[in-house]
Amino acid sequence: MQQTSIKSIEEWKTDSFIQEATALKELFWFNPNILPVQEAMPKISLSTDDINDAAERLERFRPYIAHAFPETQKAGGLIESPLRRIPHMQKAVGEYTETPLSGELLLKCDSHLPISGSIKARGGIYEVLTHAEKLACAAGLLQYTDDYSMLASEDLAHFFSKHTIAVGSTGNLGLSIGIMGAKLGFSVNVHMSADARQWKKDMLRSKGVTVFEYDADYSLAVAEGRKQAALDPYCHFIDDENSTTLFLGYAVAAKRLQAQLSDMKITVSEQSPLFVYLPCGVGGGPGGVAFGLKQIFGDHVHCFFAEPTHSPAMLLGLYTGLHDAISVQDLGIDNRTVADGLAVGRPSGFVGKTLQHLIDGAFTVSDDTMFELLALLADTEDIWMEPSALAGMKGIAIIQNNNELLKQRNIENATHIAWGTGGSMVPHEEMQAYYKSGKALMNIS
Ligand SMILES: *Cc1c(COP(=O)(O)O)cnc(C)c1O
């Protein structure tokens, strides 16, 4: 049983659920600490106003984004992704998991977000824009009422070039911040963990970004970046573990999703609840999205984090209540996974504490599962995503296999959304290799 009293990591090692996590089992956990949104919100320092403020900031930047990234012109400079019905994949997931599935499964295609092809195009880009706006306004070079396409001018690029932005990343956050920062004219330093794919580093260097490489995991890359940045007063460190700015950038996704659901004539109510499965690394992306969804849909939305069996950082932090005081390595788990976007050993304490009464639960999936689901999605829907983005895909079946607690939640009429967090920029050969791994695994089993 979970307890809120402070137990040490050594004591937790005798807990049977923790032992299963250490044995790399695929696990499912319902959060016993969930509260109605009304009761949870007074314990949280962020609010709907903060999300609205972020949404307005992104509105101000639309003319600039449309100008700087022509692929966003059709959407008027909005960085948004499609929400798709995936009936063939839903059927395949039912067969794959041997679970009769009710309700409807949708896929949020953040894999196809413009500019950087992952969920990081929400938070990462938003924080770069927030910083740029703050600097330019303080210098008297910009006002909220201006047409922000002026940010593309030589003068502003020259102004930004005296400033540095730094970040630690497993790959995708570095990619988003590097592309956006370099476009505005900033000097950008990206500190990459050993998980980061070579093509991401190559792409960043081709844009003039300085890439530091570490033969260590994400937490160390972040710590090094933070340390270097602290020495430079002109350097802004984007702190993936603690940044409320990043978090709010992700949270805006909920407002956009609300509009997409309503366009698709899908209602969210007590009779037809919404279940959302969010691949989780350090927690900022999925935590921000879940926070936003809870503000909009209240107790009618149920959010779950999905993590690799080799990197169940957030699950451990929430389950033990230790948050960032526990890491997967503390239990001897190696944090080695094909899901490079989720290869995080220690969760964000800020996100864990903010979401501890709002998140419905968490589950883990093996690397093999992610590969197989990747191949299934490609075969059934011709949608191609990276392994991390498939972590939540089994959620619809996991929930319906564990419906003891869900009987009162109108599961038959539910809408389920797997958040597809990345992949459209993965080079063709690399994607083919992922696909072949998935196909090979399915032929064995
Ligand atoms: C970063 C990332 C996530 C998770 O986001 P966190 O903020 O690290 O929790 C999920 N999927 C992909 C593809 C990512 O790059």
Side-chain angles (χ1 to χ4, degrees):
M1 259 317 286
Q2 195 192 18
Q3 289 165 12
T4 41
S5 63
I6 305 294
K7 271 207 267 179
S8 72
I9 292 169
E10 282 312 308
E11 288 169 293
W12 278 112
K13 284 183 182 171
T14 60
D15 178 280
S16 62
F17 186 79
I18 292 293
Q19 286 173 346
E20 287 189 85
T22 308
L24 307 176
K25 295 249 175 69
E26 288 194 336
L27 296 174
F28 179 66
W29 172 72
F30 267 116
N31 181 7
N33 299 315
I34 185 139
L35 290 175
V37 179
Q38 294 283 331
E39 286 171 45
M41 283 310 290
K43 303 175 196 286
I44 298 173
S45 62
L46 297 168
S47 70
T48 305
D49 288 348
D50 298 309
I51 304 176
N52 292 339
D53 184 56
E56 280 164 26
R57 180 162 293 103
L58 287 167
E59 282 295 315
R60 291 198 287 279
F61 271 96
R62 281 175 71 162
Y64 168 73
I65 297 289
H67 177 91
F69 298 97
E71 74 262 36
T72 67
Q73 247 162 34
K74 248 172 72 189
L78 201 69
I79 305 170
E80 196 43 68
S81 75
L83 177 65
R84 289 182 54 173
R85 293 193 154 94
I86 46 168
H88 306 292
M89 183 61 177
Q90 178 167 353
K91 187 158 169 280
V93 170
E95 286 161 13
Y96 175 78
T97 57
E98 297 172 8
T99 309
L101 299 178
S102 63
E104 182 172 41
L105 177 60
L106 308 178
L107 181 61
K108 181 61 175 159
C109 301
D110 273 8
S111 48
H112 292 72
L113 276 172
I115 303 181
S116 66
S118 83
I119 189 171
K120 305 300 191 307
R122 299 188 184 278
I125 287 176
Y126 175 68
E127 181 152 353
V128 173
L129 298 178
T130 304
H131 185 58
E133 184 183 63
K134 191 173 128 208
L135 289 176
C137 286
L141 300 169
L142 181 71
Q143 293 184 333
Y144 281 12
T145 48
D146 284 335
D147 174 347
Y148 277 30
S149 56
M150 68 186 276
L151 287 163
S153 73
E154 292 273 323
D155 283 357
L156 274 141
H158 178 71
F159 168 72
F160 291 133
S161 72
K162 288 176 278 182
H163 297 268
T164 301
I165 294 176
V167 67
S169 171
T170 61
N172 285 338
L173 185 62
L175 205 60
S176 292
I177 284 165
I179 293 171
M180 191 68 242
K183 183 66 101 181
L184 280 161
F186 284 101
S187 158
V188 187
N189 295 339
V190 175
H191 300 264
M192 288 289 205
S193 71
D195 314 281
R197 312 298 302 172
Q198 190 60 42
W199 67 266
K200 293 178 187 171
K201 302 181 219 175
D202 294 343
M203 181 185 284
L204 284 175
R205 289 190 172 120
S206 78
K207 295 183 187 296
V209 171
T210 306
V211 178
F212 298 86
E213 297 178 63
Y214 299 90
D215 192 20
D217 92 338
Y218 163 87
S219 303
L220 185 123
V222 172
E224 278 303 313
R226 190 185 283 125
K227 204 157 71 187
Q228 276 196 27
L231 302 171
D232 178 358
Y234 289 93
C235 183
H236 175 68
F237 180 68
I238 296 188
D239 192 334
D240 198 13
E241 293 176 318
N242 299 298
S243 170
T244 52
T245 307
L246 267 180
F247 186 86
L248 292 168
Y250 290 119
V252 173
K255 290 172 83 83
R256 310 269 182 82
L257 188 83
Q258 181 185 31
Q260 289 179 320
L261 285 168
S262 125
D263 285 348
M264 293 168 82
K265 309 261 182 295
I266 295 172
T267 47
V268 178
S269 65
E270 189 169 358
Q271 288 71 38
S272 44
L274 179 64
F275 287 77
V276 185
Y277 311 105
L278 297 148
C280 181
V282 73
V289 172
F291 180 74
L293 289 171
K294 281 286 178 184
Q295 304 312 307
I296 291 173
F297 299 113
D299 300 324
H300 306 321
V301 65
H302 305 287
C303 300
F304 295 85
F305 289 150
E307 295 182 298
T309 50
H310 284 256
S311 309
M314 187 57 78
L315 174 62
L316 294 181
L318 288 171
Y319 178 77
T320 61
L322 291 171
H323 299 297
D324 56 348
I326 188 166
S327 73
V328 305
Q329 289 91 346
D330 289 335
L331 300 178
I333 303 175
D334 63 5
N335 190 28
R336 287 190 177 270
T337 167
V338 294
D340 44 295
L342 314 179
V344 173
R346 188 182 295 282
S348 161
F350 151 63
V351 173
K353 288 166 198 164
T354 304
L355 270 293
Q356 60 187 337
H357 301 299
L358 290 176
I359 206 83
D360 275 68
F363 58 87
T364 59
V365 291
S366 71
D367 283 14
D368 285 0
T369 299
M370 286 184 270
F371 273 140
E372 291 177 350
L373 291 168
L374 183 155
L376 271 184
L377 183 65
D379 283 345
T380 55
E381 304 281 349
D382 194 22
I383 301 174
W384 297 76
M385 292 191 176
E386 64 188 272
S388 300
L390 276 301
M393 188 61 84
K394 251 174 78 174
I396 181 172
I398 293 175
I399 292 299
Q400 294 185 36
N401 272 324
N402 289 267
N403 61 7
E404 274 314 299
L405 280 163
L406 290 167
K407 282 196 180 116
Q408 71 277 28
R409 295 189 202 184
N410 295 315
I411 191 94
E412 319 76 42
N413 298 322
T415 301
H416 301 260
I417 298 179
W419 211 276
T421 45
S424 64
M425 287 172 75
V426 173
H428 182 73
E429 311 77 67
E430 200 145 330
M431 190 57 91
Q432 283 303 314
Y434 291 148
Y435 175 76
K436 283 189 188 132
S437 304
K439 290 300 268 188
L441 284 162
M442 285 201 288
N443 287 336
I444 302 167
S445 56

